[in-house]
Amino acid sequence: MTPSPDRVRLHVVTGKGGSGKTTVATALAMALARDGRTVLLVEVEERQGLAQTLDTPPLGPVERRVADGPGGAALWALSVEARASLLEYLQQFYRLGRAGSVLEKVGAIDFATTIAPGVRDVLLIGKVFEATRRTSGRPHPKGTPEHYDAIVLDAPPTGRITRFLSVNEQVADLAKAGPIHSQAGAITTLLHSDQTRVHVVTLLEEMPVQETVDAVAELREAGLPVGAVVVNQARAALLDEPDEVALLALADGTIDVPAVADAVGSVGIDDPQRVAGSLLDTARGYRDRLDLEAAQYDLLEQLGLPLVLLPLLPDGIDGGALAELADLLAEELDPEPDEDAGQLDLPENGLAR
Amino acid sequence: MSRTPTTLDLPALVTDPATRIVVCCGSGGVGKTTTAAALAVHAAEAGRSVVVLTIDPARRLAQSLGVGELDNTPRTVPGVGAGGGRLDAMMLDMKRTFDDVVHAHADPQRAAQIIANPFYQSVSSSFAGTQEYMAMEKLGQLRAEADRTGRWDLIVVDTPPSRSALDFLDAPKRLGSFLDGRFVRLLAAPAKVGGRASVKALAGGVAVATKVLDKLLGAQLLRDVQTFVAALDTMFGGFRERADATYALLSEPGTAFLVVAAPERDALREARYFVERLAHDQMPLAGLVLNRVAQPGPIGVDRALGAALQLTDGEESGAAERAAAAALRLQASVGALAARHRAALRGFAAAHPGVPVAVVAAAPTDVHDLEGLRQILR
Ligand SMILES: Nc1ncnc2c1ncn2[C@@H]1O[C@H](COP(=O)(O)OP(=O)(O)OP(=O)(O)O)[C@@H](O)[C@H]1O
Ligand SMILES: Nc1ncnc2c1ncn2[C@@H]1O[C@H](COP(=O)(O)OP(=O)(O)OP(=O)(O)O)[C@@H](O)[C@H]1O
Ligand SMILES: [Mg+2]
Ligand SMILES: [Mg+2]
């Protein structure tokens, strides 16, 4: 199975803090690492979120193979560090073997990596950029793949994503010349190209949805290609349909509480009045929650982007849970061409292509 | 050994006159802003004069607090204060707070110069940690105003989301140490101190470093930094001192830290990190707020499921029976969730038996008005 070359190479995963960016990025990378493909998963905030999620020792600035997939597929992961990238730069542009340590000594490395977020971001994305450019035969760090079929970036949250990806504008006012400046230009070209998709992870709640809507508008404004909206931690329907209809009738007052009290009394439950009152509260709460989720879902649909639903897994995230989410994402990536395919068919700029 | 944690009485905490500052911290989306607002409303309605500093509140919550417009000044919240107290609310504008700091310490001309500096603009709007730093700066300002005018006797602060670090404790230091950093000092030095011996010794290295960075980043950047630091330096007693003052304020006994967390295992693991970090820094931790905890119904899970089954057993079960059965099944699944939440809490309590815990029930929908905030502490 040869991977088709026109696929998206770079998947950027953003979302509100705590919505599940790291989890979704990891599951997406696992979903992409099938059929013999080699995938790189990258984090940029030096928080070891990937290592925790993958339950593997801390990641460093050089990629490490963290998982194997079917058909010889491989997942590599890396935690980009601004300092390491800067030293790499200096090495590359100035062959600064020893001068590097002079810079370190006077505090210039710390200075340059913290001085301006724009510069830092160029250093961070620069590393991702390098990975997308890898082709067979070109130099690459020893012992690492010479080519990646896809790269997944566990990116900063929605509030910072557009700025993070707008490296060009960021450095334009600061670094007016030099390699950082020109690197920013090349990165911008990649980020605005067809090879990149920015996916937004959200929860079906007011704030995350608001942030998602805002972020999508900002990303579009900045000309960055938005991919899918991933609705994460979606609660499974707690009731089947007939139950739901009956419950809503109670919530709306079509069925009155005394009748419910009689019913629960008839099966021997103590204090039926009080229990019936609590059942009414439960029914109303459920209705309100459904209304809220429906309203939020509407807002997301209005974005005109593919929506991908991932369930809330009751026992949290471990290896099995990641595999389960990866399977769901893989389905979105490669919709089976059967009768039901209509449902899974993604618009042009979905997760897949 | 009992695994039941001591109860943290939130209403008592915020109505106690000895409590002067409450800081709500925790991971993203756990309910820091909501908790801060609810505590502030409660204290104000109990008669205290309160100001709440929110960070990026949900739009509708901001509107109900009357801070829909971001203007960086506390505004009195209408509809709170029947009990003789008062609630002022504000939403942090970090850039504006930074600008205010500059204006407060420099003559107008110099302030204008600094504010126009591209490097300043970058730092004040997006330096990693600026938001945290400005939140703490604002807290210092509010406290100074409270001491001066007696306008408030309780300040409730929200913090930006942070997971693997207590960024608001670290950010002031980080920014401070950056501006006090060796290289920055050395860069700024020629303009000020001239030829101190220690500076001279490093001058060679600095010259090399400056040349390389100039090439890498463009010469303008270092010049901007130089002017920025020089301008700043003459008027501040150093960023570090300000940061230290805020830090000292936080460790005072009148301060109460609350770690807000969701009742899931992973989230509580993060909460443990916060608790440990606060202890390490000897910050006064009041306890854990376990937010959005599922509440079990009046009857047990098995009994509810059994009753539901009985109710829909007969062919001729009517609408009321079906509705009761559905609601019982729903209560049973919420009950199962509640059991999981309790188990997660027991895990936390086993690791930190000394930390009091307040359990806050999950409201069915988002909390965005005063009534919803009042409900939270009931
Ligand atoms: N589908 C899911 N089902 C159950 N738990 C989930 C799911 N997705 C994420 N989680 C849990 O939610 C929490 C937040 O997830 P994650 O760390 O991926 O979010 P994040 O957006 O990367 O957070 P941060 O903003 O801190 O980087 C974690 O504890 C994770 O295990
Ligand atoms: N007890 C509760 N019951 C139901 N919903 C709640 C509760 N507490 C908070 N929420 C809802 O959860 C969402 C997140 O709450 P909030 O904004 O307070 O979190 P936060 O920790 O401040 O988030 P951030 O890290 O983004 O600042 C809001 O929509 C809020 O209405
Ligand atoms: Mg993360
Ligand atoms: Mg908040």
Side-chain angles (χ1 to χ4, degrees):
Chain A
M1 288 206 189
T2 37
S4 74
D6 54 350
R7 268 171 200 269
V8 171
R9 299 282 308 279
L10 175 59
H11 296 266
V12 178
V13 179
T14 182
K16 181 169 159 49
S19 58
K21 293 178 293 298
T22 304
T23 306
V24 171
T26 306
L28 178 59
M30 288 166 63
L32 289 162
R34 293 179 182 206
D35 306 331
R37 307 206 311 153
T38 309
V39 175
L40 177 66
L41 178 58
V42 184
E43 77 174 317
V44 290
E45 296 191 303
E46 292 184 41
R47 285 173 37 190
Q48 295 298 339
L50 295 179
Q52 263 179 37
T53 303
L54 288 161
D55 198 14
T56 181
L59 296 165
V62 176
E63 59 257 47
R64 192 175 80 218
R65 190 167 178 146
V66 290
D68 299 316
L75 179 59
W76 292 71
L78 130 92
S79 167
V80 185
E81 292 162 15
R83 289 172 56 89
S85 300
L86 178 59
L87 288 170
E88 218 171 278
Y89 250 104
L90 293 172
Q91 186 59 35
Q92 193 181 335
F93 285 102
Y94 305 105
R95 314 220 163 279
L96 272 180
R98 280 203 24 252
S101 70
V102 171
L103 291 191
E104 187 85 78
K105 205 165 184 178
V106 297
I109 300 288
D110 274 342
F111 168 81
T113 52
T114 47
I115 177 176
V119 170
R120 193 184 168 81
D121 292 348
V122 174
L123 290 170
L124 297 173
I125 307 184
K127 186 78 191 174
V128 175
F129 178 74
E130 182 266 328
T132 63
R133 286 298 96 123
R134 265 189 217 178
T135 43
S136 321
R138 296 255 303 269
H140 58 274
K142 224 176 131 199
T144 68
E146 56 181 25
H147 173 80
Y148 284 113
D149 295 299
I151 291 146
V152 180
L153 174 61
D154 177 13
T158 33
R160 291 210 303 275
I161 189 65
T162 306
R163 188 177 258 280
F164 179 73
L165 298 176
S166 304
V167 280
N168 226 8
E169 289 90 274
Q170 280 205 65
V171 297
D173 293 340
L174 291 168
K176 292 191 163 57
I180 292 274
H181 183 87
S182 38
Q183 174 88 336
I187 293 173
T188 302
T189 307
L190 167 73
L191 292 177
H192 288 250
S193 79
D194 243 19
Q195 292 190 22
T196 301
R197 287 292 178 274
V198 183
H199 310 297
V200 187
V201 182
T202 186
L203 310 175
L204 218 43
E205 291 183 4
E206 206 170 275
M207 270 181 87
V209 167
Q210 185 62 57
E211 277 196 30
T212 301
V213 171
D214 291 349
V216 167
E218 273 177 38
L219 289 164
R220 282 175 166 162
E221 173 92 5
L224 292 157
V226 188
V229 170
V230 179
V231 178
N232 189 31
Q233 308 190 27
R235 265 166 259 211
L238 290 170
L239 296 174
D240 58 18
E241 206 179 321
D243 264 2
E244 198 165 289
V245 171
L247 197 76
L248 292 179
L250 174 59
D252 293 343
T254 317
I255 293 167
D256 62 6
V257 182
V260 171
D262 286 347
V264 293
S266 77
V267 290
I269 285 177
D270 292 340
D271 200 353
Q273 312 295 337
R274 190 174 66 95
V275 172
S278 93
L279 294 179
L280 176 64
D281 288 345
T282 299
R284 286 188 175 151
Y286 187 78
R287 175 198 57 195
D288 294 350
R289 180 86 219 164
L290 280 186
D291 288 351
L292 176 120
E293 290 193 352
Q296 300 310 314
Y297 199 84
D298 273 357
L299 288 174
L300 291 177
E301 274 193 321
Q302 283 167 27
L303 292 172
L305 293 168
L307 300 183
V308 178
L309 255 76
L310 295 179
L312 173 76
L313 298 174
D315 296 319
I317 299 301
D318 56 11
L322 283 171
E324 198 174 328
L325 297 178
D327 281 344
L328 289 167
L329 287 168
E331 243 171 72
E332 301 283 342
L333 290 163
D334 274 315
E336 293 293 342
D338 64 355
E339 305 85 71
D340 288 339
Q343 280 183 307
L344 293 164
D345 230 349
L346 291 172
E348 278 285 86
N349 60 346
L351 270 177
R353 282 151 244 262
Chain B
M1 190 184 83
S2 162
R3 291 266 194 82
T4 316
T6 4
T7 304
L8 168 66
D9 187 344
L10 289 174
L13 176 73
V14 295
T15 49
D16 179 354
T19 308
R20 302 284 316 273
I21 294 176
V22 174
V23 184
C24 298
C25 56
S27 313
V30 293
K32 296 176 293 299
T33 307
T34 310
T35 305
L39 292 170
V41 167
H42 185 87
E45 298 197 323
R48 299 193 77 181
S49 299
V50 187
V51 59
V52 59
L53 168 59
T54 63
I55 316 267
D56 296 337
R59 218 160 278 180
R60 284 166 72 185
L61 177 64
Q63 279 160 4
S64 355
L65 291 175
V67 292
E69 295 294 309
L70 181 98
D71 68 354
N72 216 31
T73 27
R75 308 241 165 242
T76 301
V77 182
V80 183
R86 189 181 73 212
L87 176 59
D88 292 349
M90 68 170 293
M91 175 153 102
L92 180 75
D93 179 338
M94 66 170 174
K95 170 90 169 76
R96 195 109 144 223
T97 304
F98 216 140
D99 289 356
D100 288 347
V101 174
V102 172
H103 279 297
H105 292 86
D107 59 70
Q109 199 194 335
R110 187 160 214 133
Q113 215 179 7
I114 295 175
I115 289 172
N117 185 304
F119 179 67
Y120 169 78
Q121 286 169 2
S122 171
V123 167
S124 63
S125 56
S126 56
F127 186 86
T130 299
Q131 198 181 33
E132 286 81 359
Y133 179 42
M134 286 305 130
M136 291 305 109
E137 173 67 36
K138 197 75 208 177
L139 167 61
Q141 289 175 14
L142 292 172
R143 177 54 184 262
E145 186 174 345
D147 287 347
R148 202 173 58 243
T149 66
R151 185 173 170 195
W152 304 296
D153 52 34
L154 176 66
I155 303 170
V156 183
V157 266
D158 179 18
T159 55
S162 54
R163 173 154 295 164
S164 52
L166 275 181
D167 290 332
F168 64 92
L169 285 185
D170 298 327
K173 283 195 184 154
R174 211 184 308 143
L175 189 57
S177 66
F178 166 66
L179 292 171
D180 279 347
R182 187 154 42 159
F183 189 67
V184 175
R185 297 281 101 192
L186 291 169
L187 266 186
K192 304 196 294 103
V193 273
R196 257 193 0 236
S198 59
V199 174
K200 270 202 177 131
L202 277 165
V206 174
V208 173
T210 310
K211 228 170 100 192
V212 172
L213 291 184
D214 270 352
K215 268 205 195 144
L216 195 66
L217 306 167
Q220 187 60 41
L221 179 53
L222 288 196
R223 273 202 298 279
D224 286 344
V225 173
Q226 238 160 355
T227 29
F228 171 69
V229 175
L232 217 55
D233 204 52
T234 51
M235 53 180 223
F236 282 57
F239 266 70
R240 193 184 291 279
E241 270 166 48
R242 294 180 78 83
D244 288 348
T246 317
Y247 192 86
L249 185 61
L250 290 174
S251 36
E252 279 176 11
T255 300
F257 278 90
L258 293 173
V259 174
V260 185
E264 308 283 346
R265 195 193 50 193
D266 292 347
L268 279 166
R269 196 177 322 120
E270 282 150 21
R272 281 167 59 178
Y273 172 86
F274 287 110
V275 165
E276 281 151 25
R277 173 64 207 278
L278 287 168
H280 177 267
D281 280 34
Q282 301 188 325
M283 290 291 167
L285 172 70
L288 177 83
V289 177
L290 200 61
N291 191 26
R292 307 184 82 167
V293 178
Q295 299 299 301
I299 44 185
V301 170
D302 292 341
R303 181 78 181 90
L305 287 177
L309 215 56
Q310 271 177 283
L311 280 166
T312 43
D313 225 7
E315 322 272 84
E316 73 302 7
S317 64
E321 280 77 14
R322 285 201 305 275
L328 283 166
R329 269 195 279 275
L330 189 57
Q331 281 192 349
S333 57
V334 175
L337 186 65
R340 223 174 55 229
H341 288 175
R342 278 197 305 274
L345 174 57
R346 278 196 301 277
F348 175 88
H352 293 283
V355 177
V357 178
V359 170
V360 174
T365 58
D366 287 346
V367 181
H368 46 63
D369 55 14
L370 289 175
E371 198 38 47
L373 292 175
R374 289 185 185 111
Q375 290 295 338
I376 283 208
L377 291 194
R378 285 204 183 126

